[in-house]
Amino acid sequence: MNRIVQLKGKFLYKSNTSSIGYPAFNSSNPHITLDDLKRRYHELSVLAADKERNHKIGGILVSVHYTRVIPKSRRVSYFFSGGKTSANATIVGAKFGRTKGGFPYHIITHFVSLKVMKETLRKLDACIQFMGNMGLELADNNFLKVLYFKQPKKEGKAKNLPEGMSESEVSKLQKKYLSCMNKLNITKSLLGGMLEESSEVAFFAEPRYVKETEGSQIVTIYRTGKDTVLLMKELGIDVPQERIIDGTTMLLYPEQVKALEENAPYLISMSLPDFSQIKFEKSSSIPKQISIPKPGNEPVVGVIDGPFDESAYCHDWVSYEKWFGEDEKQDQAAIDHGTEVTSLIVDGPAFNSEYNDGCGRFRVRHFGVAPGEKVLSFTLLRKIKRIVEKNPEIKVWNLSLGSELPVNSNYISPVAALLDKLESEYDIIFVVAGTNDRNRTGRLPMGDPADSINSIVVNSVRRNGEPASYARRGPVLSFFRKPDVSYFGGDTNELLHGCTGLGEVWMAGTSFAAPWITRKVAYMIYNLHLPREVAKALLIDSASKWNEKELDMEAKGFGVPPISIRDIVESANDEIKFFFYETAKSYDSLAEKIPVPVYNDKYPYIAKATLCYFPVCNRDQGVDYTNTELDIHFGRFDQKLRIKSVNENAQAEEGDYTNEEEARKLFRKWDNVKHIIERYNSGKRPKKVYGPNGWGLDIKLKERLDTRYPDGLRYGVVVTLKALDKKNRFNEFLELCRQNYWVAIPLDVQQQIDVQQKAEETIDWD
């Protein structure tokens, strides 16, 4: 086995220097008609005319129904902007609609001030008058070529003329346009921009609310110009501050939900029942007791679950805190569940020898929050938040509680959103069970909180690697890949062993797959001192197999990691595995001359790379939930010094026309995990060497909102090279690192194990 290596070297940082050209109509929406502009004006005028509603909320809520999945660069910006406020800053929600043919399109909701809406209507009216005065029934790219025509500065450079028009004709028509624009007090950029943006809009409307549930609900309203408590009081709904989280999400009782639905349904962004129906997996006892030595200085993992049975054999290894009232009834199934989960984290291999991962034992700080199957989501939110805040030293958490109800495809569940927020603020990581399909339909979407984007979500597989009979499916939020990985959680005729207060038991469920992954992550973070970004990337990298042709990603994620931790943190003799742990400080973070060994003037390798990062997420943004995109390009530099990425990713390169839907589908744009891989087959041949720059890594940072990370965003990239000729060139790789001024730090797993064992020794002072 070869050791994995951390590479440290000089990254080149640069801002985005590409200039934005004049507007152009998209091929799918090649023009805008005068009648369409008049309809858009009427739609906005109707919304602006509702004085009573707009005064009540301090502005106007407008949902923009686009014609397609829209990239950030094509969202409206001339609409709804004014002064220092950009249109992007007015966005308060995003979801997907579906065409009659089933194709998705964006619905993005804005909250616009009365002053800005008045100016938007003025600008739009001026555009309408311009087209009317000029006798234009429609505007297309030929119109824009006339509007923006400039004489080329360089002699002989091609002139961008409309088809069938001479330069003199274009100049004459352009002067006519400019004269009309001056009279209407609009600029070229405003006119062209509003016309191009209008072509992407199907219509404007007030936000639509579709009632989905009954009873008490956790309701999120759109952010408006009014304080939530005061706004609710004006609607006759009294909501105390302690029932409000994140400013706009609140717990409402049935009569309050009804009042809001009757008086202001347009305010409701999302809602779901205030209970998580948890079904605890049943287990069967085995008449057998096992023992365990006293704990030493082993790392501490956090578990949030049902109660812990303090009579269990591993009780000395567990610090238990009860986070529910003394008068609340404790179901035995809940006690067993919490105890079983913790027993696996503490000592799982002791009673599941076939899954001996080499991670040793862990101490657990166990927080019992769910004494029964019905758990109030709002209460659970507050408990998890307080538990994490009070225990900042715990970096790895296991959460094997999950709702029976499937998650919504248009918005993140509140508990999942909380996990993502805590992970971005506290440098921690949650491992979350993927929830169970008890009816074994094979098509049930995951339950809350398995839609957490930053967490590692784990599904269950059988011993043969196929999805367990009870496995639920991703994606979540219509797009994000969940689960991340799968592991052995037991199934019919191949149950796992766990422990309760009665001794050893048989069991199965995703609740018991997650702890095995928690152990691996805890080992990498606590024992090997790897950052969580790198630990997550290593886990996913190890789960993805070179020769796996078809993978059921909706049920299995990126695959099943190896059982032994050494197979995750070391590589085969014919592989070279290295990682970067860096900060994205600007648009481009570029590394050159990454040392890949050459043989017979070729690179005899196939490659894979995994990028992981923990972005700030915004629940208000709906399906556009992650604020930051990191785009990975990894591969050889070609003759033009461009990276030929392993996955043929050419986004942002000159001449590339990847649209938003393709970017999301092919290159996982806006997903916080990027995994690119060359699959192995007998036809693979060594790669051409283009020049001295060798291989490169380019990380491009893009922000969805106007906010920025002041200190940059940390990320981990794990790269694995596999030799086609099966040769071990690890030492040659280290030498190439030295020659190319890379600091190579091999991770010595055995040394870390020895240090850990030494630290756990009991010293006899006699």
Side-chain angles (χ1 to χ4, degrees):
M1 299 288 283
N2 287 330
R3 292 177 289 172
I4 63 170
V5 176
Q6 180 177 6
L7 286 191
K8 289 186 176 183
K10 187 175 181 181
F11 273 72
L12 304 175
Y13 301 102
K14 59 181 180 180
S15 57
N16 190 357
T17 56
S18 60
S19 58
I20 300 175
Y22 67 77
F25 291 99
N26 186 272
S27 59
S28 59
N29 301 293
H31 61 259
I32 183 71
T33 69
L34 179 58
D35 286 342
D36 282 337
L37 280 183
K38 289 178 179 178
R39 276 192 287 270
R40 299 299 88 82
Y41 183 87
H42 174 72
E43 290 158 1
L44 291 178
S45 297
V46 169
L47 294 173
D50 194 334
K51 305 293 184 184
E52 182 181 353
R53 173 189 298 181
N54 297 336
H55 175 74
K56 186 182 296 181
I57 64 176
I60 304 167
L61 283 166
V62 185
S63 285
V64 184
H65 291 246
Y66 287 94
T67 60
R68 61 191 176 111
V69 175
I70 199 80
K72 177 188 172 183
S73 60
R74 305 286 290 195
R75 290 176 174 180
V76 297
S77 59
Y78 287 96
F79 287 84
F80 313 145
S81 61
K84 295 182 179 179
T85 302
S86 69
N88 204 40
T90 68
I91 294 174
V92 293
K95 61 181 67 173
F96 287 135
R98 295 279 170 178
T99 66
K100 289 182 179 179
F103 297 103
Y105 64 88
H106 260 117
I107 304 170
I108 297 181
T109 302
H110 298 251
F111 178 74
V112 185
S113 72
L114 302 176
K115 180 180 179 181
V116 167
M117 179 59 82
K118 183 178 179 180
E119 178 62 12
T120 292
L121 288 168
R122 184 200 73 78
K123 293 185 292 189
L124 186 54
D125 181 57
C127 293
I128 292 170
Q129 288 188 57
F130 171 86
M131 289 187 68
N133 293 345
M134 293 297 98
L136 296 169
E137 289 300 316
L138 63 80
D140 57 12
N141 281 326
N142 276 334
F143 165 79
L144 294 177
K145 286 180 180 179
V146 173
L147 186 66
Y148 288 93
F149 177 73
K150 284 184 179 180
Q151 280 282 359
K153 293 182 179 179
K154 291 184 179 180
E155 196 73 31
K157 187 175 181 181
K159 298 173 182 178
N160 191 22
L161 294 170
E163 191 175 336
M165 293 185 70
S166 67
E167 185 178 332
S168 61
E169 289 173 323
V170 170
S171 296
K172 184 178 179 181
L173 188 55
Q174 189 186 60
K175 287 179 182 178
K176 184 180 176 181
Y177 288 169
L178 292 174
S179 175
C180 182
M181 288 158 54
N182 286 334
K183 292 176 183 177
L184 294 170
N185 192 27
I186 54 176
T187 63
K188 278 196 296 188
S189 59
L190 172 65
L191 176 63
M194 290 201 81
L195 294 180
E196 177 264 316
E197 290 175 8
S198 298
S199 71
E200 299 280 12
V201 177
F203 60 90
F204 297 109
E206 74 170 31
R208 297 171 179 172
Y209 167 65
V210 179
K211 184 180 177 68
E212 296 181 6
T213 57
E214 301 286 347
S216 294
Q217 294 179 38
I218 296 177
V219 176
T220 299
I221 62 170
Y222 291 109
R223 293 187 187 274
T224 68
K226 290 286 185 75
D227 174 77
T228 298
V229 173
L230 296 177
L231 179 57
M232 289 297 104
K233 279 187 177 178
E234 288 183 27
L235 295 169
I237 302 170
D238 186 19
V239 186
Q241 193 65 51
E242 60 268 21
R243 283 203 273 127
I244 299 176
I245 56 173
D246 293 334
T248 56
T249 297
M250 54 197 156
L251 173 61
L252 297 183
Y253 300 131
E255 65 277 6
Q256 295 175 318
V257 174
K258 184 178 180 182
L260 184 58
E261 290 172 347
E262 290 176 351
N263 298 325
Y266 56 87
L267 276 177
I268 302 174
S269 171
M270 52 192 112
S271 65
L272 79 165
D274 180 38
F275 71 90
S276 293
Q277 184 69 41
I278 300 169
K279 288 289 185 183
F280 293 108
E281 295 85 352
K282 294 181 179 179
S283 55
S284 303
S285 62
I286 307 168
K288 178 183 174 185
Q289 293 285 349
I290 57 176
S291 61
I292 188 172
K294 294 291 184 182
N297 295 316
E298 292 82 3
V300 176
V301 172
V303 170
I304 299 174
D305 211 285
F308 176 74
D309 190 332
E310 293 182 277
S311 67
Y313 87 103
C314 58
H315 65 89
D316 286 339
W317 289 72
V318 181
S319 172
Y320 174 52
E321 293 184 23
K322 185 168 66 172
W323 280 63
F324 51 86
E326 292 293 337
D327 56 340
E328 291 189 62
K329 181 185 176 183
Q330 299 183 55
D331 294 346
Q332 189 59 48
I335 299 171
D336 290 345
H337 185 274
T339 310
E340 289 158 359
V341 166
T342 283
S343 72
L344 287 176
I345 294 173
V346 171
D347 199 26
F351 33 89
N352 295 278
S353 58
E354 67 273 37
Y355 302 132
N356 188 358
D357 49 25
C359 294
R361 295 186 175 96
F362 296 92
R363 291 179 291 155
V364 167
R365 200 170 298 168
H366 186 116
F367 302 90
V369 298
E373 291 190 341
K374 283 193 175 181
V375 179
L376 296 180
S377 297
F378 197 84
T379 303
L380 184 60
L381 280 169
R382 299 174 77 92
K383 287 179 180 179
I384 292 174
K385 185 173 185 292
R386 283 164 50 209
I387 286 168
V388 170
E389 288 173 345
K390 289 180 66 174
N391 297 272
E393 69 281 5
I394 298 178
K395 298 301 179 185
V396 181
W397 294 84
N398 188 96
L399 185 59
S400 285
L401 296 176
S403 173
E404 288 286 285
L405 295 173
V407 295
N408 190 292
S409 61
N410 266 323
Y411 53 82
I412 201 84
S413 62
V415 177
L418 173 66
L419 301 186
D420 291 332
K421 185 172 187 287
L422 293 171
E423 283 165 313
S424 67
E425 291 179 357
Y426 286 92
D427 189 31
I428 61 175
I429 189 166
F430 278 90
V431 179
V432 178
T435 62
N436 298 329
D437 177 0
R438 299 186 187 282
N439 293 324
R440 290 164 164 76
T441 64
R443 59 180 182 272
L444 184 67
M446 292 180 157
D448 173 14
D451 51 334
S452 169
I453 304 305
N454 282 332
S455 302
I456 297 174
V457 176
V458 185
N459 254 17
S460 186
V461 292
R462 296 177 62 86
R463 287 175 185 158
N464 63 4
E466 292 303 308
S469 59
Y470 49 82
R472 291 166 80 162
R473 307 183 74 83
V476 298
L477 272 186
S478 306
F479 164 73
F480 292 94
R481 267 187 189 148
K482 293 293 169 179
D484 293 280
V485 295
S486 292
Y487 209 69
F488 309 104
D491 207 342
T492 306
N493 300 323
E494 49 179 65
L495 298 172
L496 279 179
H497 288 199
C499 278
T500 67
L502 296 176
E504 202 169 335
V505 294
W506 286 317
M507 59 200 190
T510 56
S511 290
F512 312 121
W516 294 104
I517 298 299
T518 300
R519 287 172 53 82
K520 297 178 192 298
V521 174
Y523 186 89
M524 288 188 277
I525 291 176
Y526 289 132
N527 293 33
L528 301 183
H529 311 292
L530 293 170
R532 60 180 181 164
E533 292 83 357
V534 174
K536 186 175 179 180
L538 279 169
L539 189 76
I540 290 170
D541 176 88
S542 70
S544 174
K545 307 302 188 292
W546 295 106
N547 57 356
E548 205 156 27
K549 292 183 174 60
E550 291 187 19
L551 184 66
D552 186 357
M553 296 201 72
E554 291 185 353
K556 293 173 62 177
F558 290 97
V560 182
I563 292 173
S564 172
I565 189 66
R566 299 195 77 140
D567 291 331
I568 296 174
V569 299
E570 294 180 334
S571 64
N573 288 334
D574 63 347
E575 292 181 352
I576 297 170
K577 184 177 291 193
F578 53 91
F579 69 87
F580 304 91
Y581 178 56
E582 298 291 340
T583 302
K585 300 176 181 177
S586 58
Y587 173 72
D588 250 326
S589 301
L590 178 64
E592 301 175 317
K593 296 185 178 180
I594 295 174
V596 177
V598 174
Y599 179 72
N600 285 342
D601 296 323
K602 301 276 187 180
Y603 294 115
Y605 289 97
I606 54 174
K608 60 179 175 176
T610 305
L611 163 70
C612 289
Y613 58 101
F614 290 71
V616 172
C617 300
N618 191 329
R619 189 167 182 258
D620 287 352
Q621 297 295 308
V623 293
D624 292 345
Y625 177 61
T626 50
N627 287 2
T628 309
E629 155 72 354
L630 292 186
D631 181 24
I632 181 172
H633 298 245
F634 174 74
R636 297 164 292 159
F637 280 101
D638 64 15
Q639 297 95 326
K640 296 180 180 179
L641 297 183
R642 296 179 305 190
I643 293 177
K644 287 178 64 68
S645 192
V646 166
N647 63 337
E648 300 180 355
N649 182 4
Q651 290 180 86
E653 290 183 6
E654 187 177 346
D656 175 65
Y657 298 102
T658 305
N659 65 37
E660 184 74 2
E661 288 185 74
E662 289 173 339
R664 291 179 181 224
K665 181 179 179 181
L666 300 176
F667 308 120
R668 305 305 302 164
K669 185 179 180 183
W670 299 111
D671 204 337
N672 62 340
V673 173
K674 307 286 195 304
H675 179 69
I676 57 180
I677 183 170
E678 294 179 278
R679 298 294 181 189
Y680 175 78
N681 61 61
S682 57
K684 285 288 182 183
R685 296 292 180 264
K687 295 177 174 62
K688 181 179 179 179
V689 176
Y690 287 106
N693 273 47
W695 290 56
L697 172 69
D698 187 10
I699 303 294
K700 295 185 184 295
L701 181 148
K702 304 161 194 174
E703 295 286 2
R704 198 179 324 245
L705 304 179
D706 296 335
T707 54
R708 296 289 184 272
Y709 292 90
D711 301 319
L713 178 62
R714 303 295 292 182
Y715 64 87
V717 175
V718 171
V719 174
T720 307
L721 305 171
K722 187 170 187 65
L724 294 169
D725 58 4
K726 307 298 182 184
K727 300 290 186 183
N728 188 345
R729 298 185 178 90
F730 181 75
N731 291 330
E732 182 181 345
F733 167 74
L734 293 180
E735 177 58 24
L736 285 172
C737 290
R738 187 188 64 79
Q739 293 175 10
N740 288 279
Y741 304 103
W742 283 97
V743 176
I745 308 171
L747 182 66
D748 194 328
V749 177
Q750 187 57 52
Q751 183 185 48
Q752 294 290 347
I753 292 172
D754 294 342
V755 169
Q756 188 68 26
Q757 289 176 344
K758 193 72 175 175
E760 293 169 7
E761 286 182 3
T762 302
I763 301 174
D764 187 351
W765 294 101
D766 292 338

